Structure formats: structure tokens, C-alpha cells
Amino acid sequence: MLPKINVLPKEVYQLISAGEVVERPSSIVKEMIENSVDAGATKITLEIKNGGSTYIRITDDGCGIERSEIKKVFVSHATSKISDKEDLNAISTLGFRGEAMASIGAVAKVEVLTRAKGEQMGTRYEVQGGEEISLDDAGCPEGTTIVVRDIFYNTPARMKFLKKDVTEGNAVAGVVDRMAISHPEISFRFIRDGKQTLVTSGNGELKSAIYSVLGREVSDGLLEVSYEYENMKLTGFASKPTASRKSRAMQFFFVNGRLVKSATAMAALEQAYKNYIMVGRFPMCVLNIELPPALVDVNVHPAKIEVRFANERPVFDLIYYGVKTAVEADRTVKEADFSPKTDTNLFDNIGSAPKINSHTTIDFFRKKEEPPVQQTFRTQPKQDFWVRESSSSYSVTDTDNTEAEPKKAEIVQPEIKEPEPQSITVDEDKTDEIDFRLIGEAFKTYLIVEIKNDLYFIDKHAAHERMNYERLKAQSTVEVQMLLSPVAVNMSKDEYNIICEHLELLKQCGFEAEPFGTDAVLVRSVPSLVGTDSVKDLILEIAQKLLEHKTDITPDKIDWIYHSASCRGAVKGGDYTSPYEQELFVKKLLSMPNIRFCPHGRPVFIKISEYDIEKQFGRV
């Protein structure tokens, strides 16, 4: 038998509703700031004490609340933002539910001072635990001031879940930071335990707000983003690839000015940085997506932090192509960091010094091994840079060569509707005129080049890998080489199945393969830049990538294969290269200004200025 159904009393259902909206002081701050923004405020001041648990005061210069309306502010489901169900399809305000102030009033002591524009006298209204305490006249400026005291004073069980004051205060500060960034047209002032910790100008410039909130280092590491696609617009800033971070903490997405969490937006952003930052590093961003309100549902979560788009794909494309356009236009080179980490001596910086006793003999002038006579790489006439001894070469056109050209494989790009590219002005003509002096090579891996007053360390493997990758992307057809003896690649059942499902994709990328039994494939051709000794490992690597990204929504799966082929076809760190080969390589690299990172996101160049070197030697 079912238990008796009771109609809950007002004080109980108010507390239940409050639990959905008011979790901690920062929840209250978020709701009240949103109300101030919706009221048209140009100045908002927030003050808290003890993390906000005992005192929160917010003052704005918005439109204020008329006396006849003041009691409705604390009535559940009372709102000025919507009037009927049709309004839910076109919400353009931050608040609209009519739950926030009712929920706050149910669990705290609240005092409101307000004067609407045009009124001669202000109003003071006080509520405690959902019950009206007083309603009086008050002298106050136009706008609204709300003071919230003693959160959860009437629900001690809820109070014990609050964290330390510093933790709660930091959560409040995070809310203020995000609101200040999303509304640079509003001047925000934040006072914490009597100390002013944030002031923004309210001049409407997003970069200025970012500087005030996130600091100079973050601000200096950003690229401006402005992109339009279909009936949507993307504006804001995203980080330079050299300014990536170890977490996603500095990713801020806004939809029509509302801070949101969106897996689609995050995936699109990080996909735009693929090939520019390393795995495990994440870009920063402050991006606002403007789109018709009818195309986004903000009525998904009580706190309004989650949204649902009518169509995720165009939003993904808007962010992906908008950010990628900005990143590809950037020419920033990673600079060496000489800032001291700890107080260490020379041996600490180099590594652990060997233990020396009276029986130890150290030969500091021991002759180093000479490079092997047989070189792995050589240079041919009219060749741009390194070519393997095998037939798998990084090919260049030789007009005197009478041999047949490599076989061409038709490549069909995936069926993706790409937005029209926006124009980017890059002065590439001058790159051929760059004067440089090749200093030499360190550890058979890093080329050292002097350009004007800077030294550049070039990772030859990373640079060569990126060159290969760019060459593959630029080709309408892939240069392939037929293998004299087809290579059989044995693999697991999962790997075999995924490769067989993508044989056409492999063919588009220059790999001709076919099933060979029930657990192997036979490879008959590969891209010309891939060495024949790498075929097995490369096919297995591609199989693993396809297995890992079965449900991937990236714009181009071919990138995965290009990455692997480019890496396998590139010169390796530790391979000997002659000074002549090095000079040809640097000349080619400097003629390609878009190459700054390898396909895995590692930097190709590291720059050290003459000033930094002289500073280390105490000359400046």
C-alpha cells in the first residue's frame, strides 16, 4: 500500500527549491550578478566576508526595482524575463527562471535597498528564511543594493558542507572573474575581507578585461579571434601555441554572453590546435559564440551552466575554423626560458656529477668518436634537402632526371563542408631573403643558426617531419612508390578489422593494401617519403589510431595517417648530416614561415636573443 501523499508546506518546498540553486556562496553571487547585468548595470561592486558565508553585498547602478514590484522578487516563479512558453525559445537574458532570489531568501537573511529610475524615494525590504520582515522607505541612489547574511542559518545540515573560508572565497572570486571577462562593458569591483582585489575599467575592450582579471602573462599570450559562419559569429581570444598550459582551467566559453560548459566547444578548440601543441598541453581561450537564441536551449540545468545546441556540427565548425585561422596566422617562435627555478650549481643544472675517489681517473680530453664513414643521408644536385639512400625519398623535381615520375594516387578529401577561408596577409616573399649563418649542430639533433641578433636552435627531426606533413597536405595526389616485394603485416583481430574497414582511406593516402588471410594485410605501395623498413610499424600505428578514434568528429581523419607517415619519413635525431646538407635544409625551412611546430605540437625553433646570452654572462 502506498504511503499517504502529503502537500509540502511552503517552508519545506522552498528549501528543496533552494537546494537546486544555492549550493554555496558563489552560487548566490552568480545569480545576483546576472540579475545586475540583466538590469542594465554599468558598474557592479561586490563585497564578501568570510568567504561569503556570513556577508555578501552587491551594488549596481541598473534600472532598480519599483516599490510595487519588490515583494514579487522573492516569490517563486516570478520573473520579468519571460511571460509565456514561446519566450523560452528566444531567451536573451542571463536569468529567467524566477527562482534565484526566492531560493536565496529561503536560506539566508536578505536586505534589499533599491530605487527605480524616476522614483523620488527608494525602498528597503527585508526577508529572512522566506518570510517578510519589513518594508520601509529609504534614501538611496538609483539602482539596487542587496545584502545577504548568514547563509544556511536555518539549515545547519547544509552549512556543514561549506568548505574553508578561503576556498569559498576563491570560488566567489572565480565567478566574478568570469562575469567580468564576459561583460567588458561593465566595470566590476571586488572587495574581499576589506581588501580590493579586482577592478575592471568597463571600457568595453575584452583584452583590457582579460588583462585585469587574468594578468599580463596570459594577456600577452593571446591571439585575437573573429570569424563568421552561416548565421553565427565567434569573437574573443585564443592562446598562441607557445602559451599552452597543463590544464583546461583557462578555457572560457560564452554563448550570447552566458558562461557555459560545452563538450562540443572544447573539442573544437583543442582540435584546432592539433599539430601545434603537444599532447597533455591545453590551449587557453576567452570565446563568445553569438547565434540566434532559438538555436540554443539554455533551459537544461537549474544553474544554467549547461546548454544544448539545436545542431552541434555548425558550432564545432565555427570554433574549429575560427581558432585555426588565427593560429595559422601566428608567427610566434618559442623563446628559451632562463628564469631560475631553484638555487642550483653548475653540476645540478647539468645532471648528477659522478662520484670521485682517489682511485678515479677522469680524461676530460678524451677523443670523441668520429662520424661513421657510411652516411645515412646524402645530398644530390638540385635537391632541396635530405634524401634517404632507399627509394623512399622526400622527392624534389629534377628537370635533368629522365627517370619516370613517381606513380600518383588519387586522393579524395572527406566530405566536409568547410567555411570560406578568411584572408590572412603573410609576407612570405621575404622569407627567401633571410640572411643566416649556420653555426653548426649540437648532439647530431639540433642545428644552430644565427639570424641578426638571435640564435635559433632547430630540431631537425621536428622540422623535417613538419615539412613532410605540409607537403602531404598540399598535394592533390600523393606520390607513391610500389614495393618490389609486398609487405605482409600481421595484426590482432581488432586491428585487422579496422584496417579492412578503411582500405579506401588508406589508398587515398598512398597506401595500397588488401586482406591477406584472416589476420594480416598485404601492403603493395606506400607514400614515396616512407622508408620500406617502416611499413609494418606504420600500418600497425595507423590501426591503433583508427581504433582509438572510432567516434571522432574531427574534420579530417587523413591527418592521423599523414602524421605517422611524416614522422617515419623524417630524418631522426642522432643521424649524421653534413654541413652542406644542414645549410640546404635551413634555407628550405626558412622559406616556409608557417612551420613552427611539428605535427605532434613540439616546437621546431627555440630562439635565444643576444641580450639573453649577454645577461647570462653578466655583460648587461
Side-chain angles (χ1 to χ4, degrees), residues 17-198:
S17 297
E20 297 179 350
V21 177
V22 182
E23 298 177 353
R24 56 197 304 194
S26 59
S27 306
I28 293 176
V29 170
K30 173 184 178 293
E31 298 291 347
M32 293 201 303
I33 290 181
E34 287 182 348
N35 283 340
S36 294
V37 172
D38 287 340
T42 61
K43 295 179 182 178
I44 298 176
T45 298
L46 173 70
E47 181 179 3
I48 66 169
K49 296 177 182 177
N50 302 316
S53 61
T54 62
Y55 184 85
I56 299 173
R57 177 179 63 85
I58 184 167
T59 299
D60 67 57
D61 62 348
C63 64
I65 306 168
E66 295 180 2
R67 175 168 302 193
S68 60
E69 301 287 311
I70 190 67
K71 291 185 179 182
K72 296 180 183 178
V73 170
F74 294 93
V75 175
S76 184
H77 309 306
T79 176
S80 62
K81 317 298 173 59
I82 59 175
S83 57
D84 56 46
K85 65 179 183 180
E86 299 302 325
D87 292 337
L88 290 174
N89 296 324
I91 294 172
S92 59
T93 54
L94 298 181
F96 61 89
R97 292 173 179 271
E99 287 286 347
M101 294 309 298
S103 297
I104 295 169
V107 296
K109 302 172 183 177
V110 183
E111 178 185 357
V112 181
L113 284 170
T114 183
R115 180 159 70 93
K117 294 185 184 300
E119 287 188 334
Q120 298 300 313
M121 182 62 68
T123 302
R124 179 182 179 274
Y125 186 61
E126 191 174 359
V127 174
Q128 290 186 12
E131 298 296 329
E132 178 183 318
I133 302 299
S134 64
L135 174 63
D136 301 304
D137 291 341
C140 59
E142 290 183 350
T144 301
T145 295
I146 300 178
V147 179
V148 180
R149 294 183 175 90
D150 302 331
I151 301 171
F152 303 138
Y153 80 98
N154 56 347
T155 53
R158 297 278 304 281
M159 188 182 299
K160 70 180 182 181
F161 286 100
L162 293 180
K163 303 188 185 318
K164 294 180 180 180
D165 288 351
V166 64
T167 303
E168 296 296 345
N170 289 342
V172 171
V175 170
V176 179
D177 288 349
R178 292 187 287 271
M179 294 300 295
I181 291 173
S182 63
H183 293 280
E185 76 282 2
I186 300 175
S187 175
F188 284 84
R189 183 167 173 252
F190 180 40
I191 302 170
R192 184 173 176 177
D193 294 319
K195 182 180 179 181
Q196 181 172 283
T197 60
L198 174 69

Side-chain angles (χ1 to χ4, degrees), residues 483-492 495-496 499 512-526 532-540:
L483 302 178
L484 294 178
S485 299
V487 177
V489 183
N490 294 305
M491 51 188 65
S492 69
E495 292 170 333
Y496 173 80
I499 287 293
E512 186 178 343
E514 60 189 47
F516 188 62
T518 60
D519 59 358
V521 295
L522 200 64
V523 182
R524 297 188 179 278
S525 72
V526 295
T532 55
D533 56 344
S534 302
V535 174
K536 289 185 178 180
D537 289 341
L538 183 52
I539 294 297
L540 290 173

Side-chain angles (χ1 to χ4, degrees), residues 338-364:
F338 287 103
S339 58
K341 301 296 185 293
T342 57
D343 293 332
T344 55
N345 57 36
L346 179 60
F347 276 114
D348 289 333
N349 289 329
I350 296 175
S352 301
K355 293 183 178 180
I356 302 175
N357 55 41
S358 58
H359 304 289
T360 304
T361 302
I362 301 178
D363 183 1
F364 288 100

Side-chain angles (χ1 to χ4, degrees), residues 335-341 607-609 611-613 615-616:
E335 297 192 17
D337 183 7
F338 287 103
S339 58
K341 301 296 185 293
K607 182 176 73 173
I608 306 176
S609 68
Y611 174 83
D612 284 332
I613 295 175
K615 186 176 180 180
Q616 293 297 307

Side-chain angles (χ1 to χ4, degrees), residues 260-277:
V260 301
K261 289 181 180 178
S262 169
T264 297
M266 184 177 66
L269 172 74
E270 294 177 11
Q271 186 63 30
Y273 282 86
K274 193 175 181 180
N275 313 324
Y276 289 95
I277 60 177

